[in-house]
Amino acid sequence: MTGRRALGRQFGWLWAAYAASAYGSGLGFGALPLIAVLVVHAGPGEVAALSAVGPAVGALIAVPLAPWVEFRRKRPVMIATDLVRCAAMASVPVAHAVGRLGFVQLLVVSAVVAAARIAFNAASGAHLKALVRPEDLLVANARFESTNWSSIAIGPPLGGAAIGLFGPVTTVLADAFSYLLSALGIAAIRGREEAPRPAGAGRVGPGAVLDGWRHLMGEPGLRALCLNNMLVSGLIMATEPLLAVLLLGRLGFAPWQYGLAFAVPCLGGLLGSRLAARVVARHGRQRVFRTVGTLRAVWLIGLVLVRPGVVGLVTVIAVELAIVVHMSLYNPVLATYRLEHTPQWLVARTLSAWSVAQQTSIALLTALGGLLADATGPRTAIAAAGLLILASPLLLPRGDLTPRHLPDPAPGRG
């Protein structure tokens, strides 16, 4: 079976490292907004700002890092960014223990973690493309996707229980430790990794920062998928802090119920990710992008129906389950297409540009959602996001999406 294909020991270590940080992040799912609500007593606008300003600043920091990541060995970059995230997250429980935790520190931590995540993902994608065969990329990406959703299925309920037993910063400490485990897993990958060189001899010029953006905007398929992803991801993520305020504050959900509402649907991610390779083989990539890309956007509006009690909890679970199943099928196909249509010498900068665009969209739409929630209430802001996302299928690509030959870099580029 395609999904059970052996991808080698080195991929196994990379996958294990990814799993360590993913499960740690699952335990700390929504931890910073939760701490902002329960510890710092932040309101809807501040919670939205935490989810918006931090990633936006992180994306800004990550822009000049892209060429630096591109032309260095990827494993040391991944280890360094894991250690940075470990230190940033560990500062939260330390500050809380000495009574110095404030909203500004949460903002700084959010920005540092966002920048390090973008740099890590850029290096990881380039390393993955060099590590596995082209025909195995979809299988590898589907395994990462499956791990991601299983970590969210298991992590939030355990995190909610840990918060109830040991306090609100417990899961942040677990998240920090998971980055340390990830760094150790990456360090265990064997084999010499050659340092990439800029295309052409000489130093990397300032224009290298924009090469990833030029590639994204110059490829019609990538451009359409990027714009679509910015809108869909931005609107879905913009509802997270709004739901935190609605469920934990106005509807009186306990933290464990909040975690359960997002954990149970993630079991659907195991189904979608495992089906990705089979669905592409049977129906083709273009149909997956058009059909599944549309279906993942139509469910968000259902969150406006959330009410207190069991019925409200079931409503959130049902809506999130529908979104997750389609996202988990769509995402590995998207990640594989992106790598196939990007030359090796541009992978880190292209993935960095993609992440920056996505984080900027999330930050902007989250900030707008917070302002709307302050003016009208979180339910109205969620309804606006649910209506706007219905237009996202118009941005999906319509042309030929088959892999093509990628040219070598032109001499003197950069």
Side-chain angles (χ1 to χ4, degrees), residues 228-298:
N228 171 267
N229 191 68
M230 288 172 64
L231 185 59
V232 172
S233 297
L235 290 170
I236 290 176
M237 294 304 297
T239 63
E240 182 184 335
L242 302 175
L243 276 175
V245 173
L246 181 63
L247 298 182
L248 294 170
R250 305 198 177 186
L251 298 183
F253 281 57
W256 69 267
Q257 291 176 309
Y258 174 75
L260 188 67
F262 291 97
V264 172
C266 293
L267 296 174
L270 301 177
L271 173 65
S273 57
R274 290 183 67 86
L275 289 176
R278 300 179 191 177
V279 172
V280 170
R282 181 170 181 176
H283 298 288
R285 189 186 342 234
Q286 188 156 356
R287 183 173 293 182
V288 169
F289 279 140
R290 295 294 302 170
T291 304
V292 182
T294 298
L295 289 174
R296 84 197 202 284
V298 300

Side-chain angles (χ1 to χ4, degrees), residues 6 17 30 56 66 68 99 105 128 158 184-185 189 199 207 226 243 250 263 268 274 308 322 325 340 348 376 406:
W68 180 83
Q105 181 178 348
L128 176 65
L158 293 180
L184 292 174
I189 299 175
C226 182
L243 276 175
R250 305 198 177 186
R274 290 183 67 86
V325 168
E340 288 177 347
T376 64
L406 297 172

Side-chain angles (χ1 to χ4, degrees), residues 65 69 106 138 261 266 308 325 339 342 345 387 399:
L65 288 178
V69 173
L106 295 179
L138 179 55
C266 293
V325 168
L339 288 176
T342 304
W345 59 281
L387 291 172

Side-chain angles (χ1 to χ4, degrees), residues 77 81 138 167 171 183 204 238 280 307 319 329 331 340 380 391:
V77 171
T81 51
L138 179 55
T171 57
V204 179
V280 170
R307 294 291 182 269
V319 172
L329 201 164
N331 287 345
E340 288 177 347
T380 301

